Amino acid sequence: MELLIFYPLAIFTVLLALGVVFNNSPIGSAVSLIAMMLGLAGIFVVLQAHFIAILQIIIYAGAIMVLFMFVIMLLNLKGDDKAWKMRDRNLYLSIMTGILVLLALYKMIDKILGTEFGEMAEVPDSFGTTVAVGTELFTDYVLPFEIASILLLAAMVGAVVLAKNKVD
């Protein structure tokens, strides 16, 4: 029964992800990304990870996408901008990068779960609960969590520097 909900939701999410990549407008890409985040939250709900679904909506679909829209408006990217049109030239590079990322993700998931493609992985009962997420985040994954925090801070500083035309 869950697969009847999971597969349409997964197809919807993949189509929206393709919409992010192939959309000509930065605003359209951002809106597609927001809808894709909501689709991912739905997938987490199907997997009984309600806490992660709520985090997905609050953090990614809410806060980070508002930040993306703010940066897009600061950079004043319009549909007729030359820098944005150069994106069409990099289509093959983008596709190759996407394929490499997918292969790397598949290999990582295969190594972590030890399952073959097409075989359903067993999800533990505590998957996605507040206690499980907090325990994993602040014990086993505290270093990647801190590194991600520093990278996000550097990205925000870089966006502000790019948005300013000249130093006052």
Side-chain angles (χ1 to χ4, degrees):
M1 181 64 184
E2 294 166 345
L3 291 178
L4 291 176
I5 300 170
F6 176 81
Y7 283 121
L9 209 51
I11 291 170
F12 172 72
T13 304
V14 168
L15 289 177
L16 286 170
L18 291 174
V20 172
V21 174
F22 293 112
N23 204 328
N24 288 329
S25 166
I27 299 295
S29 291
V31 171
S32 294
L33 188 59
I34 291 171
M36 190 201 70
M37 298 289 180
L38 295 175
L40 282 176
I43 289 174
F44 283 125
V45 167
V46 170
L47 292 174
Q48 303 294 321
H50 298 102
F51 179 67
I52 295 177
I54 294 298
L55 288 179
Q56 181 79 26
I57 292 172
I58 292 172
I59 295 173
Y60 291 107
I64 291 181
M65 287 313 300
V66 167
L67 180 66
F68 279 7
M69 295 297 244
F70 189 64
V71 168
I72 288 171
M73 287 188 295
L74 276 177
L75 293 177
N76 198 15
L77 295 176
K78 295 178 181 173
D80 57 353
D81 192 10
K82 286 183 178 179
W84 189 254
K85 285 185 176 179
M86 288 178 58
R87 184 175 165 208
D88 292 336
R89 297 180 194 158
N90 297 328
L91 180 65
Y92 297 114
L93 183 63
S94 300
I95 291 172
M96 292 300 293
T97 305
I99 290 171
L100 286 175
V101 168
L102 285 176
L103 289 174
L105 281 175
Y106 170 72
K107 191 64 180 172
M108 286 185 342
I109 291 171
D110 187 44
K111 281 286 186 189
I112 291 171
L113 299 177
T115 59
E116 294 294 325
F117 187 75
E119 179 181 316
M120 293 294 291
E122 291 293 323
V123 178
D125 290 337
S126 64
F127 177 74
T129 62
T130 309
V131 173
V133 170
T135 302
E136 290 292 322
L137 191 61
F138 293 112
T139 56
D140 296 336
Y141 296 103
V142 69
L143 183 61
F145 179 73
E146 293 298 329
I147 290 172
S149 302
I150 292 170
L151 287 175
L152 286 173
L153 178 64
M156 284 193 310
V157 170
V160 170
V161 169
L162 286 175
K164 290 185 76 86
N165 289 335
K166 60 182 182 180
V167 178
D168 294 331

